[in-house]
Amino acid sequence: MKALDDALHMLYGRGPGVPDAQRARYRALKARFLQLFPEQTSVRFFSAPGRTEIGGNHTDHQSGRVLAAAVNLDTVAAVARNGERKARIYSEGFKPLEVDLSDLSVREEEKGTTAAIVRGCAARMREMGYRVGGFDAAAASSVLVGSGLSSSAAFEVLVCAILDGLYNRGDMPPALRARIGQYAENVYFGKPSGLMDQTASSVGGLVTIDFAQEEPDIRGLSFDFEEAGYALCIVGTGGSHDDLTDAYAAIRTEMEQVAACFGRLRLREVDADAFEAALPSLRGKVSDRALLRALHFFDDDRRVPQEVAALQAGDLARFFELVIASGESSWKLLQNLYADPGEQPLSLALELSRRMLEGRGAWRVHGGGFAGTIQAFVPQGLLEAYRARMDAAFGQGACVPLNIRPVGAYELCPGEEPL
C-alpha cells in the first residue's frame, strides 16, 4: 500500500490523516459505482484537480499571460468500459447523465449542460484521431460548483483523461487535453472561456502560461508558499458563478471591441503605448467601461512576469505588492467584483482581508469574479484568526486553505484496483 499512500500524499498533501481520509473516500466511491453498475466487475480511478488563479485576471482570453496552480481539491471518478456507445455518469448531487456517443454533433438544446461537455470532449478527441467509446462512471467532487476553482475545467479534463485512459494509451499531452476541454466548453457548452483553467488543471503544479501563440508557452515554478510560512486560501462568499456567463462574456467582448479598433482580434496584439495614445479618440467608438477593461488587461498582463520574477527571487514582499495591485485593478478597472451594487460580498471579503493582512500578506478577487471567492496569502500564525473572521462573516467553512498539487489529471494505480 506504500505506492498508494505516496500517490495520495502527492495529490492531497501531507496533512495528518490524509491517506486514511482519501482511501475512505475512494472506497465509498467504488462501493457506489458497484451499486449503480452491478454488472461491472472491475473499476479504475481517475482524478482531475481544480485550479487557482494567482496572477492575470481575465487575461487568458486575450492571449495574455497568467500565473496559476492546480490544487488538492479535485473531481474523481470510478469508471469502467461498458461495451456500448454511451457514457453514463452518476455525479453526487446531480441528476444521472447519459450521453449517446454515436452522435457527436453539436446540439443547441444541450448548450449550457454537462452533456454538452461530454459530447464535445468526445467529438474533439475523435476528430484528432483518438478512439472514444462508452463508459460507466460514478463521480464525486470537492471542487464545489461556483467556488471559483473551476469545477467545469476539472470535469472537462477528467472526461478527456477517462477516454484517453480507457480507449487509448493514456499519454495524451496535458496541453492538448486542455485545448480539447476548452473546445468543448466554447463550441458545445457555449461559454467563451479562455484556456487558463483547463491548462492549469491538466498540467498541474504552479505554472506561468503565455497564450501569445497557438501553442501556449507553459513553464513550471517550484516556489513553496507553505514552506515560506504562508497559507494560500480561498474564501467563498456565498455567491455562485452559475448564472454569470453573460457577465463574463461581456468582458471578453468589450476587450475585443477595443482590439478591433486597431484591426486586431485580441488585446495582446495591440501595443499598450499605442492604445493609451489613441484612448481619447476611442471614446464614443467603444464604451468607457471597455476602455477601462483594456487598461486592466495591459496592466495585469505586465504584472505576471513581474510576479514570476519576484517568486524566483524569493521576494515575497514584492510578490504580495503585485498581487494586491492586481486585485485593485480588477476592482476599479475590470469591474468584476459584483453584478448588483446592493450585493457585494466579494468587496466585503476583500476589505476584511485588507484590515487583517495589510503589511503581512495579500488578497485579491479569485477567478472570474462577480460572485464566488477571493484569494488570500495568510501568514501561518494568523491562519486560525483569519479563518475565524471569514467564517463568521460568510459561514462556517467559507475559508479553505489549499495545497498546490504537483500533477494534473491522474489515474491511481493504472490497471489495478488499489482499494
Side-chain angles (χ1 to χ4, degrees), residues 116-118 120-122 124-125 128 152-160 172 174-189 191 193-195 197-199 202:
I117 295 296
V118 177
C121 288
R124 192 61 168 167
M125 286 182 66
M128 303 185 79
S152 58
F155 183 76
E156 291 155 13
V157 169
L158 181 70
V159 170
C160 291
M172 179 185 290
L176 176 57
R177 190 184 298 128
R179 289 200 302 275
I180 291 170
Q182 184 204 26
Y183 173 87
E185 189 163 315
N186 290 174
V187 177
Y188 280 70
F189 187 86
K191 182 177 179 180
S193 65
L195 187 54
D197 295 350
Q198 294 86 352
T199 302
S202 188

Side-chain angles (χ1 to χ4, degrees), residues 15 17 22 133 238 336 381:
Q22 291 298 329
N336 69 329

Side-chain angles (χ1 to χ4, degrees), residues 259-280:
C261 293
F262 295 84
R264 303 295 183 182
L265 293 176
R266 305 280 186 269
L267 282 178
R268 184 68 182 282
E269 302 166 8
V270 177
D271 180 79
D273 293 335
F275 163 73
E276 293 211 33
L279 196 151

Side-chain angles (χ1 to χ4, degrees), residues 67-242:
L67 180 63
V71 299
N72 56 316
L73 303 180
D74 65 345
T75 300
V76 297
V79 304
R81 295 169 63 156
N82 60 23
E84 302 179 44
R85 300 290 292 176
K86 294 179 180 179
R88 292 191 286 260
I89 304 172
Y90 287 71
S91 296
E92 286 185 359
F94 297 90
K95 293 179 180 179
L97 173 68
E98 182 174 301
V99 181
D100 184 354
L101 300 180
S102 63
D103 176 8
L104 296 180
S105 59
V106 176
R107 297 186 178 186
E108 289 301 317
E109 70 275 12
E110 277 187 352
K111 291 287 179 74
T113 70
T114 305
I117 295 296
V118 177
R119 197 181 306 278
C121 288
R124 192 61 168 167
M125 286 182 66
R126 192 171 71 177
E127 285 176 11
M128 303 185 79
Y130 287 88
R131 292 185 299 159
V132 300
F135 62 89
D136 297 329
S141 184
S142 55
V143 189
L144 300 177
V145 174
S147 68
L149 294 172
S150 198
S151 58
S152 58
F155 183 76
E156 291 155 13
V157 169
L158 181 70
V159 170
C160 291
I162 289 170
L163 290 171
D164 188 31
L166 294 183
Y167 288 98
N168 300 279
R169 298 188 304 178
D171 59 357
M172 179 185 290
L176 176 57
R177 190 184 298 128
R179 289 200 302 275
I180 291 170
Q182 184 204 26
Y183 173 87
E185 189 163 315
N186 290 174
V187 177
Y188 280 70
F189 187 86
K191 182 177 179 180
S193 65
L195 187 54
M196 178 191 68
D197 295 350
Q198 294 86 352
T199 302
S201 176
S202 188
V203 172
L206 175 64
V207 293
T208 181
I209 312 167
D210 187 337
F211 292 105
Q213 306 298 325
E214 184 176 349
E215 288 286 339
D217 181 8
I218 305 168
R219 303 188 183 190
L221 302 173
S222 59
F223 193 85
D224 189 327
F225 292 104
E226 186 175 7
E227 190 174 281
Y230 290 85
L232 169 58
C233 300
I234 59 164
V235 178
T237 63
S240 172
H241 292 145
D242 285 355

